[in-house]
Amino acid sequence: MSKMSDKPEISNAEFEVLDVLWDSHPATSNEVISRLNDKKDWHEKTVKTLLGRLVKKEVLGFEKQQRQYLYYPLIAREDYTKKETASFVSRLFKGKITPMIAGFANQNSLSKQDISELKALIKEWEQNND
Amino acid sequence: MSKMSDKPEISNAEFEVLDVLWDSHPATSNEVISRLNDKKDWHEKTVKTLLGRLVKKEVLGFEKQQRQYLYYPLIAREDYTKKETASFVSRLFKGKITPMIAGFANQNSLSKQDISELKALIKEWEQNND
DNA sequence: ACACATGGACTACAACTGTAATCAACAAAG
DNA sequence: CTTTGTTGATTACAGTTGTAGTCCATGTGT
């Protein structure tokens, strides 16, 4: 036995497409295209290709609605971001988040609000782990 | 004018090579190869190719020592990780670190030590930003 | 019914990647 | 000196990615 859903590699361009579908789904290719138009400047055909590749990779599913397809994500954003974050932090920071945040901090990328959110997060963690 | 050192795209495999050079440099290709042997199972030729590509991308520099080259990084690990982190967090979390850490937290990936380090970090931030 | 528009499927194609093998030049060994 | 090994340089080659274009079947307007 093997080949148990081996992490589908999602490319950068593909991610953008998936991202708008996470925001709201299901959606037709045209909806996806027009939503992407706000940020990216991609040709319609390009987006369709990406949709197709994501389907092939089993990242998206679809359901025919007469002539068109209604696409929707097959994986949850949370699951994806969690895995990606873990592997990112593992690669670049040997798995320790603090150094990463430290990088943010001394780069002035931390706002007062970030700090208070972090504090809240810590407090919550401490309550769940007394 | 333009073309001001446009972020050299470093691939995953290339990153591993760069990583061991960040750990200690300069180093000959053989040193790099043997250090990588501990983690990766790459053919000698593969590593040499990667070294070459990194040189071409101006990520590594070298200096001849008779027959061999002594390679060394041209970019600092800190600079690289900072940029990568910023773009990562920007893409996956709209630039907010807290949601990322929250993902870590509810995945039980935060240790007691992480938490105390985070607290220290916050305290430090607050002192510098009163 | 028929011509045209439209949506997905298939095809294109160069650059980048992972993963090496071959080549050429020089150094080491005999 | 000549053979041999070693080192970087060049070449290989398939798969992925970015970015579309072409084909074919079906829906639409007349």
Side-chain angles (χ1 to χ4, degrees), chain B residues 65-78:
Chain B
Q65 187 194 36
Q66 358 123 170
R67 252 189 107 12
Q68 305 199 153
Y69 286 0
L70 286 180
Y71 296 91
Y72 52 87
L74 290 177
I75 68 182
R77 172 182 250 148
E78 310 251 304

Side-chain angles (χ1 to χ4, degrees), chain A residues 13-44 46-52 54 60-62 68-73:
Chain A
E14 285 160 6
F15 175 83
E16 299 294 336
V17 172
L18 176 53
D19 201 37
V20 310
L21 276 168
W22 271 329
D23 283 344
S24 160
H25 56 265
T28 66
S29 55
N30 282 326
E31 285 172 329
V32 172
I33 289 165
S34 76
R35 284 200 240 151
L36 275 171
N37 250 343
D38 291 343
K39 6 208 93 182
K40 300 296 181 174
D41 183 38
W42 288 341
H43 192 285
E44 165 213 359
T46 300
V47 179
K48 299 236 184 126
T49 297
L50 295 172
L51 282 168
L54 286 169
L60 295 185
F62 64 85
Q68 304 199 153
Y69 287 0
L70 286 180
Y71 296 91
Y72 52 87

Side-chain angles (χ1 to χ4, degrees), chain A residues 47-88:
Chain A
V47 179
K48 299 236 184 126
T49 297
L50 295 172
L51 282 168
R53 287 182 182 168
L54 286 169
V55 168
K56 188 170 314 170
K57 290 182 180 184
E58 293 181 90
V59 168
L60 295 185
F62 64 85
E63 185 189 305
K64 291 193 211 249
Q65 186 194 37
Q66 358 122 165
R67 252 187 109 6
Q68 304 199 153
Y69 287 0
L70 286 180
Y71 296 91
Y72 52 87
L74 289 178
I75 68 181
R77 173 182 249 148
E78 311 251 305
D79 289 347
Y80 179 77
T81 54
K82 261 181 224 171
K83 272 177 201 151
E84 288 303 301
T85 302
S87 91
F88 180 82

Side-chain angles (χ1 to χ4, degrees), chain A residues 12 88 91-92, chain B residues 5-22 42 49-61 72-85 87:
Chain A
N12 291 325
F88 180 82
R91 281 166 47 76
L92 269 69
Chain B
S5 105
D6 20 53
K7 170 166 112 164
E9 279 305 335
I10 297 168
S11 81
N12 291 325
E14 285 160 8
F15 175 82
E16 299 294 335
V17 172
L18 177 52
D19 201 36
V20 308
L21 275 168
W22 270 330
W42 288 341
T49 297
L50 294 172
L51 283 168
R53 287 181 181 169
L54 286 168
V55 168
K56 188 169 315 168
K57 290 183 179 183
E58 294 180 88
V59 168
L60 295 185
Y72 52 87
L74 290 177
I75 68 182
R77 172 182 250 148
E78 310 251 304
D79 290 347
Y80 180 78
T81 55
K82 260 181 225 172
K83 273 178 200 152
E84 288 302 303
T85 301
S87 89

